[in-house]
Amino acid sequence: MNYEEMTIEEIVPFAKQGDMDAQLWLGKKSIGVTSNEEAMHWLEQAANQGLAEAQSLLAEGYCTLSNIKDYKLAKYWFEKAAAQNYPDAIYQLGIFYEKGDYGVPVDIKKALQYFEKAANLGYLDAQLHFGGILHYGLHGVQVDYTKAKYYYELAASQNMREAQYLLGVLYFNGLGVTEDKEKAISFFESAADKLDDAQYVLGWIYAKGEGRPQDYQKGKYYFEKAATQGHVSAQYNLGYLHLNGLGCEKNIQQGKYWLEQAANQGDQDAINLLRELNRPVTSSTSKNGCYVATCVYGSYDCPEVWTLRRYRDNTLAQTWYGRTFIKVYYAISPKLVKVFGNKNWFQRFWKKRLDRKVSKLQRKGVEDTPYEDQDWRK
């Protein structure tokens, strides 16, 4: 009998005759359709006949169905199914002992035993979970990248995206394996069709030029995929690219939009950057000037100008010839901006040169985060 394709009404006679497979499917099909109590009744009939899947589903019902929650009974039926090596039940018992909030005390040793057993029986969630515990040394477990890799590979071979992503992390950073960025990127790409973490990492790889030639357009593409799924770091980075015209036309409004999305999720970097971008320019905020750069980048408070201001205060202003250059620059720059600031050729001419300078300074470690001026004239 193919009960999966039959209706509830068609299955009922077989279930009443004691067919445990019919009882199982009647229970599965009744959840949320007839009544939870009726569903549990039929699952219990099959469970009492020793059907492991029914025992495990009955236990899940006692965990999740609000009107009949009973963790003691849930544990009882999970143990029944686990005794028959039913992987889902074994894994769920591991969760019971890991969390300790289902009427059992925390027992990490027991939890790990259940996770490992379920993983070795081929249960995907257990392979990922146990691999993660070994990867990150959770619960005081000694980090074991090699063993974590083994379980990630088992899950990845069954197209589990999270496992593919985490294998990429191991290979990208050379954790328990020889560093292999090509292999890592291949795993990230396999996971990126669905997983926002993989999309974000690929965006970072292309934007930074780590393991791939720097390509802001590709970086923006992957950041955008992750950002639209709510990935906070992708939202921040996408905003940054828009603000600076990297891989796209410079668009302050769009940049602020994505920073706001990240800020709404509590991202402190986005909050700080928005605060600086939205701060009105006054004589106090621009007392030391930065005229051409401000004209080119559209704001005295933006990442490129923050880099240039740091360079001015921490490098140029520390020598007599640097201070001389600053004085000459501030004598000439306001006049240039006043006469030519709205000319396209002027913007293009200086942006090309300033972009090169900013890029060089940032490669040397000069930061592009919000910055308060020093008074170099003292």
Side-chain angles (χ1 to χ4, degrees), residues 145-146 149 153 167-180:
Y145 296 125
T146 303
K149 172 179 168 286
E153 285 176 334
L167 273 174
V169 171
L170 294 182
Y171 277 102
F172 197 85
N173 296 288
L175 302 174
V177 294
T178 301
E179 183 181 302
D180 188 335

Side-chain angles (χ1 to χ4, degrees), residues 286-303:
S286 60
K287 63 185 179 182
N288 291 337
C290 211
Y291 300 98
V292 172
T294 302
C295 174
V296 167
Y297 293 113
S299 172
Y300 186 68
D301 285 306
C302 68

Side-chain angles (χ1 to χ4, degrees), residues 3 43 48 67 96 107 159 209 286 354 368:
Y3 295 119
L43 288 174
N48 283 326
N67 57 329
F96 268 44
D107 189 328
N159 291 321
S286 60
L354 287 173
D368 63 354

Side-chain angles (χ1 to χ4, degrees), residues 31 36 43 58 87 98 110 119 153 160 185 217 220 249 253 273 286 296 323 327 342 349:
I31 293 174
N36 291 335
L43 288 174
L58 185 63
E98 181 183 44
K110 269 190 180 180
E153 285 176 334
M160 185 176 232
I185 291 170
Q217 282 189 324
K220 174 181 173 290
E249 288 293 322
Q253 184 177 1
L273 184 50
S286 60
V296 167
R323 289 191 293 273
K327 288 177 182 178
N342 62 348
F349 177 87

Side-chain angles (χ1 to χ4, degrees), residues 150-169:
Y150 169 76
Y151 285 106
Y152 288 158
E153 285 176 334
L154 291 177
S157 68
Q158 299 179 68
N159 291 321
M160 185 176 232
R161 300 298 190 269
E162 293 84 356
Q164 292 168 340
Y165 165 73
L166 288 165
L167 273 174
V169 171

Side-chain angles (χ1 to χ4, degrees), residues 11 30 36 79 111 113 135 143 147 171 182-183 186 195 291 298 300 304 308 312 325 375:
I11 299 173
S30 297
N36 291 335
E79 287 174 337
Q113 289 170 348
H135 180 170
V143 170
K147 200 170 180 180
Y171 277 102
E182 281 299 316
K183 197 166 187 176
S186 176
L195 193 67
Y291 300 98
Y300 186 68
E304 295 89 350
L308 292 169
R312 176 199 63 199
F325 170 81
D375 191 348

